[in-house]
Amino acid sequence: MKKPLEDLDLKLFWENSKYSEKEYVGCPVTQILIKEVEKEIGLKLPASYLTLLESQNGGIPKNRNFPLSKVKSISDECISISGIFGIDSSKKNSILGANGNEFMISTWGYPDIGIYICNCPSAGHDMVGLDYRECGRKGEPKVVYVDQENDYRITFLTSNFEEFIYGLVTDEYFKDEESDNIQPLWKPDKIKFQIIEGYHKDFMLELKQTLSKGEFGWTGSRISIPKKWKNASLSMKDKRIHIFVNGKTYYLDRENQGQLQFEILNAGEISDKELERIWSKYAR
């Protein structure tokens, strides 16, 4: 009988960064810790999930996209994850952490189906979870995608966690066949944007993009901005979102969106001065 994730090279699975170490990666997993966590949540954790955490207790995987074309009866599109939660409660992004299960259910109103194990780039508007509703507290849970923007619609992904991990792919999977460059979808006529205030009195540029059936890409995204930009003027021109503030103009488009967002996320807790420096570097 094969061991969980036996065909996966766990040494190459995780992406290393200061942000991942700070926000996700917890203490080494022990049998004592597993028993304590399972007792607290009242659920048996999947063997494949624990095998993954034994290599690293939560973090950001190199492969962060799951094509929904892999799921029968689901139209061709994909979801992206930001990271996988571990079981160290001292880490913000863990199943028992500040952004974990209890927070998503009690504060965000997510359905109580089991455990939410992956957050997404939308910063709370969609999650990936382990669904115990059919298997019971000690069974093998399914992996599902829960979309808060669509009345918490639950979409089946895989029959178990191991299948989900093997189904993750890199951005290269969606490489543009004609140009040999990765081309993230950017549909100016289908993008809505606004500045919103977050839970911690921070401010973000929120983007929502409507996709057609068969299209791959993001549907929601939030990018942190300096607090003093909260009243900035926004407009879409020449396929770019222009941000006009304090006599300066910054922009966001398909070319700099991913790079800008990645740089900000990897910085962890960040000052207004540093945020402005990053925006100036990638968006001026």
Side-chain angles (χ1 to χ4, degrees):
M1 185 176 179
K2 292 182 68 173
K3 297 179 180 179
L5 300 177
E6 186 175 2
D7 297 327
L8 184 68
D9 190 343
L10 294 174
K11 293 180 180 179
L12 301 177
F13 180 79
W14 301 104
E15 181 176 282
N16 298 318
S17 69
K18 291 182 180 180
Y19 177 76
S20 178
E21 290 286 338
K22 179 176 174 21
E23 302 292 336
Y24 289 90
V25 184
C27 63
V29 171
T30 64
Q31 289 301 311
I32 293 176
L33 177 59
I34 292 171
K35 289 180 180 179
E36 290 176 348
V37 171
E38 289 184 332
K39 182 178 180 180
E40 183 167 348
I41 63 178
L43 298 167
K44 182 176 178 58
L45 296 169
S48 54
Y49 175 62
L50 294 176
T51 297
L52 183 66
L53 297 192
E54 285 170 0
S55 71
Q56 182 175 294
N57 192 357
I60 299 174
K62 293 179 180 178
N63 298 356
R64 296 192 289 274
N65 303 300
F66 188 90
L68 293 183
S69 57
K70 293 178 180 290
V71 183
K72 293 181 179 180
S73 302
I74 301 295
S75 61
D76 290 340
E77 50 187 46
C78 86
I79 63 167
S80 298
I81 63 172
S82 297
I84 299 174
F85 289 176
I87 57 174
D88 183 346
S89 60
S90 70
K91 292 296 179 176
K92 183 187 298 184
N93 292 321
S94 67
I95 62 175
L96 295 175
N99 291 339
N101 225 47
E102 179 60 30
F103 175 72
M104 298 313 299
I105 293 171
S106 62
T107 302
W108 277 85
Y110 273 76
D112 189 359
I113 60 173
I115 309 169
Y116 290 97
I117 54 166
C118 299
N119 55 353
C120 299
S122 63
H125 288 271
D126 52 346
M127 297 283 289
V128 171
L130 299 177
D131 187 351
Y132 285 80
R133 291 176 298 172
E134 292 183 11
C135 68
R137 293 183 174 277
K138 295 184 178 181
E140 184 71 33
K142 297 176 181 178
V143 179
V144 298
Y145 169 68
V146 183
D147 187 355
Q148 187 256 357
E149 291 290 331
N150 284 293
D151 197 26
Y152 299 99
R153 181 180 63 189
I154 299 174
T155 299
F156 167 85
L157 296 181
T158 59
S159 297
N160 55 64
F161 181 76
E162 185 169 25
E163 288 180 10
F164 174 72
I165 292 300
Y166 280 125
L168 292 173
V169 298
T170 66
D171 289 340
E172 293 290 327
Y173 184 89
F174 308 105
K175 183 179 288 187
D176 187 276
E177 295 180 355
E178 296 181 359
S179 70
D180 202 37
N181 290 317
I182 296 173
Q183 296 292 332
L185 192 65
W186 183 272
K187 302 172 64 178
D189 59 326
K190 299 294 183 180
I191 297 176
K192 295 182 179 179
F193 48 92
Q194 63 177 334
I195 292 175
I196 64 169
E197 183 175 351
Y199 283 106
H200 306 292
K201 303 299 182 182
D202 53 342
F203 288 87
M204 292 169 280
L205 175 62
E206 180 183 63
L207 313 177
K208 293 182 181 180
Q209 180 173 237
T210 303
L211 301 184
S212 300
K213 184 176 180 179
E215 290 181 322
F216 296 102
W218 58 273
T219 56
S221 182
R222 290 180 173 183
I223 305 177
S224 295
I225 61 173
K227 292 184 177 66
K228 62 182 180 180
W229 289 16
K230 63 181 180 180
N231 296 317
S233 298
L234 306 177
S235 65
M236 178 72 77
K237 183 180 179 181
D238 298 327
K239 299 182 180 181
R240 289 178 165 182
I241 297 173
H242 291 261
I243 306 168
F244 185 75
V245 57
N246 298 329
K248 297 179 181 179
T249 301
Y250 301 82
Y251 71 89
L252 189 72
D253 61 14
R254 67 183 297 173
E255 302 299 331
N256 70 355
Q257 179 191 11
Q259 197 172 29
L260 178 66
Q261 193 163 27
F262 183 80
E263 184 84 4
I264 291 174
L265 284 175
N266 273 342
E269 292 184 8
I270 188 169
S271 66
D272 265 21
K273 184 177 180 180
E274 180 65 8
L275 269 176
E276 195 161 10
R277 184 195 68 79
I278 293 173
W279 274 90
S280 295
K281 178 179 178 181
Y282 293 104
R284 286 294 307 276

